[in-house]
Amino acid sequence: MQNETENSQKEAMEEIQDFGQLEMDHNKQKHNIYLLSIIGEVEGHECLSSNAKTTKYEHVLPKLAEVEDNASVDGVLVLLNTVGGDVESGLAIAEMIASLSKPTVSLVLGGSHSIGVPLAVSTDYSYIVPTGTMVIHPVRLSGVVIGAQQTYDYFKQMQERISGFIESHCMIKAERIEEMMMNTSMLTKDLGTILVGHEAVAEGIINEVGGISDAIARLHFMINDEKS
């Protein structure tokens, strides 16, 4: 029995170290909560530097599929502290979270920038800590870009995909999102808008300002409500 407990603890630690994910033990409310951390930069089809903190979408997507099919998991808590990253991969994760049949809650800690915004609103309910930030800016590509109309059309289409997803999962309108994307008065070397804590709630992006206790309490409430 002791060996089984030690092996279970070892597996949990490896899960945290390798993937930033953890299935939390039963508590007094007898709910199994799956913890998903989206930390650093969302890594796409190309590997980032080994010195960078990354969330690899090829790890997250299969795990979310497993969570959906696992009857023992009652809900999902998503912790976010991300600078953004690969748009396609970030949207893929956001769509997966949004399509889960189990209750989901997100908590923005530090920041949830760029493609982190769709990730933050993809859950059923969202929180942001008072000092948390969200940066909304236009789509950017690195490397060689062909200066043709088709390129600009592609940029526009991608921005519409992002703003459309955000609009469909929170209270803000796509027009307001695009207005904040094109703001020239706030960022010195870029277009966009920075929202801090209560500002993100006031804009209708995040549901509420709160911390980890609020997020977990809300998730337990949603699970109880679903089971009743």
Side-chain angles (χ1 to χ4, degrees), residues 20 24 36 63 67 84-85 103 137:
M24 297 166 68
L36 171 65
K63 201 65 189 178
V67 165
H137 63 68

Side-chain angles (χ1 to χ4, degrees), residues 35-218:
L35 175 65
L36 171 65
S37 299
I38 299 176
I39 305 295
E41 188 168 351
V42 177
E43 187 177 86
H45 301 296
E46 296 183 4
C47 292
L48 298 173
S49 167
S50 59
N51 296 325
K53 293 284 187 183
T54 62
T55 294
K56 301 178 185 295
Y57 84 109
E58 69 269 26
H59 293 165
V60 176
L61 296 184
K63 201 65 189 178
L64 287 172
E66 180 188 344
V67 165
E68 174 62 25
D69 198 45
N70 189 343
S72 69
V73 175
D74 299 307
V76 178
L77 175 64
V78 183
L79 300 183
L80 293 140
N81 191 358
T82 175
V83 295
D86 186 277
V87 171
E88 298 286 352
S89 301
L91 274 180
I93 297 172
E95 290 282 12
M96 281 284 281
I97 295 172
S99 64
L100 291 173
S101 63
K102 303 170 190 288
T104 55
V105 172
S106 65
L107 173 61
V108 176
L109 300 158
S112 189
H113 305 162
S114 189
I115 200 61
V117 179
L119 288 166
V121 304
S122 64
T123 55
D124 300 321
Y125 203 86
S126 57
Y127 286 91
I128 186 170
V129 295
T131 57
T133 58
M134 307 187 83
V135 177
I136 301 172
H137 63 68
V139 173
R140 297 174 297 198
L141 290 180
S142 59
V144 178
V145 178
I146 300 173
Q149 183 60 45
Q150 291 90 333
T151 302
Y152 299 110
D153 290 342
Y154 174 70
F155 275 32
K156 186 174 185 296
Q157 181 190 58
M158 188 170 288
Q159 284 184 190
E160 288 174 350
R161 288 168 61 197
I162 294 170
S163 57
F165 181 90
I166 296 171
E167 180 185 43
S168 64
H169 289 86
C170 60
M171 301 299 293
I172 195 171
K173 296 297 183 183
E175 293 79 10
R176 177 56 180 156
I177 298 167
E178 290 168 7
E179 180 184 337
M180 288 192 288
M181 280 182 177
M182 299 304 172
N183 182 16
T184 60
S185 63
M186 185 169 286
L187 302 177
T188 56
K189 296 183 179 180
D190 198 0
L191 301 177
T193 302
I194 303 173
L195 300 174
V196 181
H198 290 277
E199 294 173 338
V201 176
E203 288 287 353
I205 298 176
I206 298 296
N207 291 115
E208 196 174 336
V209 172
I212 187 65
S213 60
D214 301 296
I216 291 178
R218 168 65 64 167

